[in-house]
Amino acid sequence: MNKHLIATALSVALITLAGCADESAAQSAPAQQQQAIDVAEVLVKPVQSWHTYTTRLESPQKVALMPRVSGIIEQIEFKEGDSVKQGDVLFRLDDRSFAATVDSLSAQVKSAQAALEQAKSEASRAVRLTERKAISTEQAQARTSTLRQREAQLAALQAQLKAAKLDLEFTSVVSPIDGVISRANITKGNNVLAGQSVLTSIVSNDKMYAYFDVDERTWNSAFDEVTAASKQPVVMQKVGQDDFNYSGHINFIDNQINASTGTLRVRAVFDDRSNELRSGSFARIKLAANAVRETVIIPDRAIGTDLKNRFVLTVGENNVLQYKLVTVGERYGSLRAITSGLEQGDVIAVNGPARVGPGMPISPNKVAINTQGVAFTLSANPADLVAKQ
C-alpha cells in the first residue's frame, strides 16, 4: 500500500513541475515571437470628395447625310473613315436631266424677256396715242394689262430657273460639317431618293460631350453653387484604362430636376485631345466637391473588417498593437480617407491585420506612406487632375 501512495505522490509532483514549465514557456513566448512589422504615421491632407458617374460620349454634331434630289449615284468622292471639311463634295449624282431643265428654262426666260420688252414698248405707245385721242381708253388699258402679265410670266420663269439651278447644284452632295465620315451606305450606280436615302453619316470630332445624371441630394450638398459659367473641372476615363487621363469641364446644367428620377442632367465637354475620343464610347466621369477639408489618409490595405466594423491596428506603448475602430471615407488610388477614429500623430500597421493582431508586441519598421500620382484635390493644372481609382 505504501508503494502505491509513493507512486501517486511522484506522479502529482511530475505533473505540477510540467505545468510550471509550460507556464514559464508561455510567459517567455511573446518576447521570442516579436515580428518586424512596417508601420507609418498617418497623413493629414486637404481632400475633396470625388463623385463618379458612368456615361457615353456624344458628338455635338451628327449628320445622317441624305440627298436633296433624286437620281443615280455617278461618283463617290471620299475615302471611307477619313476626315472631311464642310463643303467637300462627297457624292455626285447624274446631272444630265437637271442640266437640260436648266437650259430649257433659260431659253424660256429669254423668250419671256423679249415678250416683256415688246409689251413695254406697246404700253408706252398706247400712252402717247391716248393723249392724242388716237386709241380708246379700253385699248390702252389692255396693253397695260398685257405688260403686267409679261412681267409676272418672266418672274415665274426666273423662279423656276433658280429652283432648277439649285437642283443641279444639289447633284453634288457636300459635307455640311467638319468631322469624320463613315462608310458609303449606297454605292455607285444605285438610285437614291431625295430626303429618304441615307448615303452615309458624319460626326464632328473637335470636341465631345458627356451627359450624366447627378442625384438631387448630392448636387445640393456638394455642387449647389456650380453653374455652367463656372466651368467646374472634371476628369474622364475610357474603357480599358486605369487612369483618368482626359480633362474637361461642365458647360451645361439642366434647368429642372427630373421628377421621375430625382436627378439633374449635367453635361461635360472635352475638347483637349478630342481626336482620341469616339462618339458612343463608354466612359467614367469624376468630379470633386467644392468643399476642401483636412482629413486623415492611410493605405487602404491597413484597414481590417470585423463583422460590420472597420478597424486599424495602431502602435501603442511598448510597441504593442491596439485595436481601433474607424469610419472610412473616399478612396484616393490605393489610399483611403478616415473620417473618424484616427488623428494626426497616430502610428499604424500599414499592412493591416494580415499577419498580426491586437495585443501583440512588434518590432516596428518605420516607412512612409506613398502618395505619388494620387490627386486629393482639384488643381488649376489639368495634368494634376489624374486620379487613380
Side-chain angles (χ1 to χ4, degrees):
M1 179 66 74
N2 291 336
K3 291 181 180 180
H4 290 296
L5 291 174
I6 293 171
T8 302
L10 288 173
S11 298
V12 170
L14 290 173
I15 292 171
T16 303
L17 289 173
C20 293
D22 289 344
E23 183 178 355
S24 176
Q27 290 176 351
S28 63
Q32 297 173 358
Q33 294 178 359
Q34 286 186 6
Q35 299 184 45
I37 298 298
D38 290 341
V39 300
E41 184 175 342
V42 300
L43 300 176
V44 177
K45 294 279 189 181
V47 301
Q48 291 171 296
S49 296
W50 291 90
H51 300 270
T52 305
Y53 301 94
T54 57
T55 182
R56 288 195 180 274
L57 299 181
E58 294 185 23
S59 173
Q61 292 181 297
K62 296 178 287 186
V63 174
L65 191 64
M66 292 182 285
R68 298 189 182 187
V69 293
S70 300
I72 296 176
I73 297 177
E74 191 173 64
Q75 195 66 38
I76 298 175
E77 301 287 353
F78 66 91
K79 185 177 179 181
E80 296 175 327
D82 272 0
S83 294
V84 296
K85 296 291 184 182
Q86 182 176 350
D88 287 352
V89 177
L90 305 177
F91 294 86
R92 293 189 188 276
L93 306 183
D94 186 353
D95 64 356
R96 289 173 294 179
S97 60
F98 298 97
T101 301
V102 169
D103 291 341
S104 174
L105 287 170
S106 296
Q108 294 179 50
V109 166
K110 290 180 180 179
S111 176
Q113 287 173 337
L116 178 59
E117 290 299 323
Q118 182 180 1
K120 286 181 178 179
S121 177
E122 291 180 353
S124 298
R125 188 180 305 112
V127 172
R128 294 194 299 271
L129 292 174
T130 303
E131 292 173 352
R132 297 200 303 267
K133 307 294 184 181
I135 61 172
S136 66
T137 303
E138 290 79 3
Q139 289 176 316
Q141 289 176 345
R143 293 185 181 185
T144 302
S145 177
T146 300
L147 173 61
R148 299 290 178 262
Q149 292 175 13
R150 297 291 183 265
E151 289 174 342
Q153 290 172 358
L154 177 60
L157 288 170
Q158 287 175 331
Q160 292 177 37
L161 177 60
K162 184 177 181 180
K165 287 182 176 180
L166 282 175
D167 287 345
L168 179 60
E169 180 182 338
F170 292 154
T171 58
S172 295
V173 183
V174 302
S175 174
I177 62 171
D178 295 346
V180 179
I181 195 167
S182 183
R183 66 182 183 87
N185 296 328
I186 305 176
T187 55
K188 180 179 178 179
N190 286 288
N191 188 59
V192 294
L193 300 177
Q196 297 184 36
S197 304
V198 179
L199 301 175
T200 187
S201 62
I202 307 170
V203 295
S204 63
N205 63 342
D206 59 329
K207 55 187 174 184
M208 285 291 166
Y209 287 158
Y211 289 91
F212 55 97
D213 297 319
V214 182
D215 68 273
E216 185 177 3
R217 181 183 296 275
T218 299
W219 184 265
N220 292 338
S221 62
F223 307 105
D224 194 42
E225 297 180 359
V226 174
T227 65
S230 62
K231 295 185 176 181
Q232 180 81 359
V234 301
V235 290
M236 182 186 68
Q237 174 195 60
K238 295 195 298 185
V239 170
Q241 295 182 335
D242 295 326
D243 299 335
F244 288 75
N245 291 322
Y246 301 89
S247 58
H249 63 270
I250 292 175
N251 74 334
F252 166 77
I253 301 169
D254 209 349
N255 59 1
Q256 60 182 340
I257 300 289
N258 186 323
S260 300
T261 61
T263 58
L264 181 66
R265 176 57 59 95
V266 179
R267 183 180 72 199
V269 60
F270 299 87
D271 49 19
D272 181 34
R273 298 164 59 193
S274 59
N275 60 323
E276 301 176 14
L277 305 176
R278 293 183 182 275
S279 179
S281 296
F282 182 84
R284 297 174 69 203
I285 301 291
K286 292 186 74 174
L287 65 159
N290 288 331
V292 179
R293 64 185 185 279
E294 296 285 333
T295 304
V296 172
I297 299 294
I298 65 173
D300 192 55
R301 68 178 184 274
I303 303 171
T305 302
D306 182 8
L307 296 178
K308 294 182 179 181
N309 300 319
R310 298 287 189 93
F311 69 94
V312 297
L313 298 176
T314 61
V315 180
E317 293 183 4
N318 301 320
N319 294 328
V320 175
L321 294 179
Q322 298 178 345
Y323 178 95
K324 185 166 287 192
L325 290 174
V326 295
T327 303
V328 301
E330 300 286 335
R331 182 172 176 174
Y332 301 88
S334 62
L335 306 179
R336 177 77 72 169
I338 301 298
T339 58
S340 67
L342 294 175
E343 58 185 21
Q344 190 169 9
D346 285 343
V347 178
I348 63 169
V350 296
N351 292 316
R355 296 168 51 196
V356 290
M360 292 183 60
I362 62 168
S363 175
N365 176 37
K366 289 191 175 181
V367 297
I369 298 175
N370 183 16
T371 61
Q372 186 176 1
V374 180
F376 299 102
T377 62
L378 290 176
S379 168
N381 181 6
D384 296 337
L385 290 175
V386 177
K388 295 182 180 180
Q389 181 66 22

